[in-house]
Amino acid sequence: MLSNLSREPYPLKGKNVMITGVSRWQGIGYAIARQAAAWGASVIIHHFQPHDKEQPWGADDLHHVLTGIESELTDKAFLYDVSGDFADPEEPIKLMDEINRECGHLDALICNHGLSGSDGAIGELTAEMLDKHYAVNTRSTLLLTQCFASQHDAVRDRGKVIYMTSGQRLGSMHGEIAYAAAKGALADITTTIADQLADENITVNTINPGPVNTGYLNNEAWNKMKPMFPFGRFGEPEDPAQLITWLLTNEASWITGQIIHTEGGFARWRPPSE
């Protein structure tokens, strides 16, 4: 029986949390990092701005991103950042070695990074497209998980691993076969990895954040999609960030092997506006 029903004001105090793919102030990774910092964690972020520069929205000022996270840090917590290209098969191991050396033991790993673009529908795919998405979206995540598990001391508080997917099981992602296949693989392997790592006192869960406005949504697109959102708004980065950060706390230590959808009732089956 639980004897203490009060809540800790800083439930992640003393924890070291690593979040990948944190380079844009409108991104989900940034929202997670700020929430984790506000709840007491020391935050280690990974970024790779060359990917952002290739996207239509471009790259943000990294100093702006770091300053925003630092502003939420609590007493004695720290922020550490690393850059790395996960297309390189050696990069996950190099980064984890550096982080363990400079920051110590990691208590949680959130694999928020993702490669988008350079994709197509059936009939447009190339082996290069498929391999590139697998390398960044799937392979690097599995290697990071392996490194995280190898450094976790099972006598500590429960370790936490969180993957990000995109609801491939819930609806079509036309024209994004390489991305959907690579991210979908993480959802389908969640139960297997969670089962193994439970013996190491680590939980593993996958989050589908649903449609989130990370800077790409314009009024025309919103007006067309509005009927699909019963609560009258699009998702914001803080929506999945609050769930993900809660999963890092001891309150969520009984949850593992799950694919959790946080979509605000997004109804793909409702017709869009004309």
Side-chain angles (χ1 to χ4, degrees):
M1 295 288 292
L2 297 175
S3 58
N4 185 1
L5 299 181
S6 64
R7 302 192 74 185
E8 292 287 341
Y10 299 105
L12 298 180
K13 188 175 181 63
K15 305 289 187 183
N16 290 348
V17 175
M18 178 183 177
I19 309 158
T20 63
V22 183
S23 59
R24 300 183 60 251
W25 67 271
Q26 289 180 287
I28 295 173
Y30 176 70
I32 299 168
R34 281 170 53 84
Q35 187 71 68
W39 284 12
S42 290
V43 178
I44 299 97
I45 66 166
H46 152 270
H47 45 76
F48 186 61
Q49 286 200 301
H51 171 262
D52 293 335
K53 292 176 181 178
E54 294 175 355
Q55 304 305 313
W57 49 80
D60 288 343
D61 182 346
L62 190 58
H63 175 73
H64 183 119
V65 172
L66 294 173
T67 300
I69 300 168
E70 284 179 334
S71 69
E72 299 295 337
L73 292 173
T74 61
D75 184 44
K76 297 183 179 179
F78 64 84
L79 172 65
Y80 187 82
D81 74 292
V82 292
S83 178
D85 181 4
F86 287 146
D88 178 354
E90 302 299 323
E91 198 67 29
I93 299 170
K94 289 178 183 177
L95 288 188
M96 291 294 278
D97 283 346
E98 176 184 343
I99 290 166
N100 287 147
R101 183 175 64 251
E102 299 296 328
C103 303
H105 175 269
L106 282 178
D107 299 284
L109 168 67
I110 303 168
C111 296
N112 170 72
H113 66 280
L115 171 69
S116 57
S118 305
D119 211 334
I122 292 296
E124 302 169 339
L125 298 171
T126 66
E128 181 182 11
M129 285 181 190
L130 293 166
D131 290 348
K132 188 175 182 180
H133 278 266
Y134 171 77
V136 175
N137 294 329
T138 313
R139 183 185 68 194
S140 68
T141 297
L142 298 179
L143 290 174
L144 286 167
T145 303
Q146 186 166 264
C147 291
F148 175 84
S150 70
Q151 59 92 62
H152 181 68
D153 184 346
V155 301
R156 292 175 180 262
D157 285 346
R158 194 152 296 160
K160 306 294 182 75
V161 175
I162 295 177
Y163 299 155
M164 304 286 282
T165 187
S166 298
Q168 290 86 346
R169 295 177 170 188
L170 304 179
S172 173
M173 297 185 67
H174 180 72
E176 296 184 271
I177 298 293
Y179 174 85
K183 281 290 191 174
L186 296 177
D188 281 335
I189 202 64
T190 299
T191 299
T192 297
I193 297 176
D195 179 59
Q196 177 185 343
L197 295 188
D199 294 331
E200 306 299 326
N201 199 26
I202 297 171
T203 65
V204 182
N205 293 290
T206 293
I207 300 300
N208 161 34
V212 172
N213 182 15
T214 56
Y216 63 84
L217 186 69
N218 57 39
N219 287 336
E220 181 181 359
W222 164 240
N223 287 332
K224 185 175 182 179
M225 298 178 67
K226 190 173 181 179
M228 299 179 180
F229 292 84
F231 294 131
R233 69 170 178 86
F234 211 76
E236 296 293 339
E238 292 75 17
D239 293 318
Q242 289 172 356
L243 169 63
I244 290 165
T245 310
W246 176 74
L247 286 171
L248 303 183
T249 70
N250 289 337
E251 293 180 2
S253 290
W254 202 236
I255 302 171
T256 195
Q258 303 303 303
I259 302 167
I260 304 174
H261 307 289
T262 169
E263 296 192 323
F266 176 46
R268 293 164 176 80
W269 49 90
R270 295 186 183 184
S273 296
E274 297 295 335

